[in-house]
Amino acid sequence: SHIMSDYVRMTDTERDQIDQDAQVFMRTCADAIHQLRTEAHKGVQSAQVKEHRTAVLDFIEDYLKRVCKLYSEQRAIRVKRVIDKKRL
């Protein structure tokens, strides 16, 4: 497909830039979740609302962790390929 051929033509510099951007993005998301946690219960009386917000934030945080894990695995594969190529 057209998208795959574009990907193949990417330079290592472009891939490194994507890695850098992705890491910044993931850190930004983690910080935003942390910030939301500190704000979530301000002025809230209802225990049910607090519980709901905590559950939603736990879900979002878990989702981010899974995305980060997947990303790290993909990156490890790419690094391994680069190392294997240099060995040849």
Side-chain angles (χ1 to χ4, degrees):
S1 86
H2 174 67
I3 293 167
M4 277 314 285
S5 63
D6 279 352
Y7 180 76
V8 171
R9 278 198 299 267
M10 276 175 75
T11 65
D12 285 337
T13 311
E14 286 171 322
R15 289 193 184 109
D16 290 343
Q17 186 59 55
I18 288 170
D19 280 346
Q20 226 176 325
D21 293 346
Q23 281 173 320
V24 169
F25 183 71
M26 288 185 283
R27 209 172 305 123
T28 304
C29 289
D31 291 346
I33 292 166
H34 181 74
Q35 188 72 38
L36 275 171
R37 265 192 208 284
T38 61
E39 301 285 322
H41 303 324
K42 283 184 181 169
V44 177
Q45 301 300 312
S46 165
Q48 197 177 2
V49 170
K50 286 181 181 178
E51 228 173 274
H52 173 72
R53 288 183 181 179
T54 298
V56 169
L57 285 161
D58 288 347
F59 174 80
I60 293 169
E61 193 165 41
D62 182 59
Y63 188 83
L64 179 64
K65 281 178 183 163
R66 283 182 288 152
V67 169
C68 292
K69 187 176 180 281
L70 194 65
Y71 174 77
S72 295
E73 287 165 2
Q74 293 293 317
R75 194 160 169 254
I77 290 166
R78 181 164 81 82
V79 169
K80 189 186 177 299
R81 278 194 196 129
V82 170
I83 291 167
D84 289 348
K85 250 186 230 166
K86 282 180 182 168
R87 280 207 188 112
L88 294 174

